[in-house]
Amino acid sequence: SQALIKAVRDALSSASPEGKETETKKTEALKPQYSSEKITLGSRIMVPTPVWVIGSYDTLGKPNMMTAAWVGVSCSRPRCVTISLRKATYTYGNIMTNKAFTVNIPSEKHLEAVKYFGSVSGRDVDKLSEIGYTAVPGDSVYAPYLKESAISLE
C-alpha cells in the first residue's frame, strides 16, 4: 500500500546517524556490488507489519486469543501458514498440546480489543469474557476463531 511505501521511504531517509545523506548517496549505498552481497538497512528501520490474532484452546477447553505480528504463508499446496511465538507464552503451550490454531485478521475497528489480547495473558484472565468478544469453534481444527474478526483462517 502507499502508506507502507511512504513509511519505508521515511525510515530510509532517516537511517543514517547524521540523517544528512543525499538521495543519490542512499541509492548508491543500497546497490550491491555483486549478487551475493547483503544490503543492510540499519537497526533504526522499522517496517510496519499487520497484526494478527491467534486463537487456541487450553487443556480445559477454554478459548484464548493472542496478538501476534509474525505470521506468514509458508505453502500454497497444501495451504499452510506459520506463526512465530515465544515458548513462554500461554498460546504456545496451547498450540503444542492441541496441534491446532486459527489466524484471525481483525478490522481496524477492533484495535482496542487487539491491543488487549496482546497485553494480558490468557493464563491469568479470560480475555474474551472480559471484553465481551465471542470465540467460535473451528470447523476443521480444534481451535476457536474470533466471531468479530474480518477474516479467520483455520
Side-chain angles (χ1 to χ4, degrees), residues 46-67:
M46 293 179 58
V47 178
T49 60
V51 175
W52 314 81
V53 176
I54 308 303
S56 64
Y57 286 120
D58 70 9
T59 56
L60 301 175
K62 181 182 87 172
N64 183 59
M65 298 291 161
M66 174 193 168
T67 303

Side-chain angles (χ1 to χ4, degrees), residues 65-132:
M65 298 291 161
M66 174 193 168
T67 303
W70 299 102
V71 177
V73 175
S74 57
C75 188
S76 57
R77 289 194 183 145
R79 292 184 183 124
C80 211
V81 295
T82 57
I83 62 174
S84 181
L85 306 176
R86 289 180 307 108
K87 286 184 179 181
T89 65
Y90 186 58
T91 301
Y92 178 87
N94 294 347
I95 293 170
M96 295 311 292
T97 298
N98 296 312
K99 307 295 184 213
F101 62 91
T102 61
V103 175
N104 301 272
I105 305 168
S107 66
E108 190 173 335
K109 70 181 180 180
H110 298 289
L111 180 60
E112 290 304 313
V114 171
K115 289 191 314 190
Y116 177 74
F117 290 148
S119 66
V120 298
S121 173
R123 186 179 288 120
D124 306 321
V125 176
D126 183 344
K127 298 179 195 183
L128 294 162
S129 66
E130 285 287 320
I131 62 170

Side-chain angles (χ1 to χ4, degrees), residues 13-80:
S13 69
S14 65
S16 72
E18 301 81 26
K20 297 179 181 177
E21 284 187 352
T22 65
E23 196 64 37
T24 306
K25 286 183 181 177
K26 283 186 267 181
T27 304
E28 289 300 315
L30 292 175
K31 288 182 183 176
Q33 299 301 313
Y34 46 89
S35 63
S36 64
E37 188 171 324
K38 292 183 180 180
I39 298 172
T40 300
L41 297 177
S43 62
R44 292 181 40 198
I45 302 297
M46 293 179 58
V47 178
T49 60
V51 175
W52 314 81
V53 176
I54 308 303
S56 64
Y57 286 120
D58 70 9
T59 56
L60 301 175
K62 181 182 87 172
N64 183 59
M65 298 291 161
M66 174 193 168
T67 303
W70 299 102
V71 177
V73 175
S74 57
C75 188
S76 57
R77 289 194 183 145
R79 292 184 183 124
C80 211

